[in-house]
Amino acid sequence: MTALVALPGCGGGEDASADPQDVLDRALSGGEGIDSGVLDVELSISSVTGDQGELDAELQGPFQSNGSGELPSVEFDVSGAIASGGIDFDFDGALTVTTEGLWVGLEGTDYQLDDATFGTLRSAYEQSAAQRQDEPQGSLEEFGVDPRDWVTGLTNEGTEDLDGTEVVHISGSADVPKLVADLNDVAQRTGQATALSAADLNALESSVTAATIDVYAATEDDSLRGIDVGLTLADPRGGSGELDVELSFAITDAGAEQDISAPEDARPLAELLLQLPISAPKADSSPPSSMPPPSASKAAEDYYDCVARANGSKAVEECASLLGG
């Protein structure tokens, strides 16, 4: 995890001996948050026995707030690699958002979302942000859930240097039963899932054979600067192997003004959508032989035109039906 390589620092002081629960509480309590910086999120999934393949993904780049309730500006590079069953797949893309538009990059070429659709997305974000301002601080707390309860066995590992920022390193284990039960409650109360039975919960809990969490908080203001999560899961196929899952999140250059600009020489996003490999309708739902199914490019073109004319997020979702099965 390159962004979260924490080098031993000079250490000492009150933070090195602070109660780890107090440090965790301050870091995860919310507060004013960080308005700008460089975000780095990495995910790695690998088979301990090596027979189930590997997945690596990373999102990295600057972000900048444009004010309360406004769509922030970001300039993220997104990459990924999958190796499994003799198949190797690499992905290299980008996402740029400014107050003027949204751009998607793929394999070195940038594509711009049309102004009408961008306006719809920006309005939807602003409406959602306005609604969240009237909710209790921390959406999970509204459901009686506190993420700080998910970490147990805390240890203060002392102060370290995280890409030039002095941080307190807190380590612990994930309380898997508590985590699973809380997320199940949230899913039910938000209508995203039906209740899991006791057997389902036990099976989910038992699939996690090890879980560790490392939290990094800035000594200067107690703000959260990084999280490492490590999980070891039983083989989902029921074999003797295991899967290692590593997820890291880090913020560097916090509070510094970020220079985010639109890509030059961008192509219309319609050109990218026309290249998408949309599958043809299934045999049991195909039209009569006198009316051949639309080509992949025609389906994508119809979808793009629908999105461009859509008024609101619900209308945008309904356009997905044009892509076929």
Side-chain angles (χ1 to χ4, degrees):
M1 297 298 175
T2 56
L4 280 178
V5 175
L7 303 177
C10 296
E14 296 180 356
D15 295 300
S17 59
D19 184 288
Q21 187 64 57
D22 291 342
V23 176
L24 182 71
D25 290 345
R26 292 194 297 268
L28 299 183
S29 62
E32 296 181 359
I34 299 175
D35 290 336
S36 62
V38 177
L39 177 66
D40 194 336
V41 180
E42 297 185 43
L43 171 66
S44 174
I45 302 176
S46 59
S47 170
V48 175
T49 57
D51 60 353
Q52 297 182 45
E54 297 182 356
L55 179 150
D56 292 287
E58 180 178 13
L59 181 150
Q60 193 274 341
F63 64 94
Q64 178 71 52
S65 171
N66 291 313
S68 177
E70 299 294 327
L71 186 68
S73 295
V74 304
E75 189 174 355
F76 293 147
D77 291 325
V78 184
S79 60
I82 299 176
S84 179
I87 299 177
D88 293 326
F89 173 78
D90 294 327
F91 172 83
D92 185 13
L95 173 66
T96 302
V97 180
T98 72
T99 56
E100 303 299 325
L102 181 150
W103 293 260
V104 174
L106 181 63
E107 304 301 335
T109 301
D110 294 301
Y111 302 89
Q112 182 177 7
L113 184 67
D114 67 276
D115 292 341
T117 306
F118 174 70
T120 299
L121 294 177
R122 182 173 58 187
S123 297
Y125 178 91
E126 293 172 352
Q127 292 173 7
S128 177
Q131 293 174 355
R132 290 197 302 270
Q133 289 179 351
D134 298 330
E135 296 176 352
Q137 181 69 26
S139 58
L140 290 178
E141 293 181 5
E142 182 182 1
F143 302 103
V145 173
D146 189 341
R148 290 171 290 185
D149 295 336
W150 297 344
V151 189
T152 186
L154 293 174
T155 300
N156 187 335
E157 305 289 352
T159 57
E160 303 173 355
D161 182 89
L162 178 60
D163 290 335
T165 298
E166 186 182 59
V167 297
V168 185
H169 176 190
I170 302 300
S171 66
S173 300
D175 187 338
V176 177
K178 177 64 174 174
L179 173 63
V180 172
D182 280 354
L183 293 182
N184 183 44
D185 287 344
V186 172
Q188 294 177 50
R189 298 183 188 185
T190 56
Q192 300 301 309
T194 57
L196 294 176
S197 66
D200 293 332
L201 290 174
N202 289 334
L204 186 56
E205 293 169 13
S206 62
S207 68
V208 181
T209 59
T212 62
I213 296 180
D214 292 87
V215 177
Y216 303 85
T219 58
E220 180 181 14
D221 57 8
D222 299 323
S223 62
L224 179 66
R225 295 303 176 90
I227 296 178
D228 284 339
V229 178
L231 300 174
T232 301
L233 307 176
D235 188 338
R237 301 173 305 180
S240 59
E242 293 179 322
L243 292 178
D244 280 343
V245 179
E246 297 181 13
L247 175 66
S248 73
F249 156 91
I251 295 178
T252 57
D253 206 20
E257 192 79 13
Q258 302 297 320
D259 183 15
I260 299 175
S261 58
E264 297 181 356
D265 302 321
R267 309 293 299 172
L269 185 60
E271 293 186 11
L272 176 60
L273 292 175
L274 295 178
Q275 300 174 33
L276 296 178
I278 308 301
S279 60
K282 298 178 182 178
D284 58 359
S285 60
S286 59
S289 58
S290 61
M291 297 177 59
S295 64
S297 60
K298 181 63 167 60
E301 184 176 1
D302 290 344
Y303 168 75
Y304 177 76
D305 290 340
C306 178
V307 170
R309 296 191 304 268
N311 182 17
S313 57
K314 182 175 178 58
V316 172
E317 294 176 359
E318 292 176 350
C319 293
S321 63
L322 298 173
L323 294 178

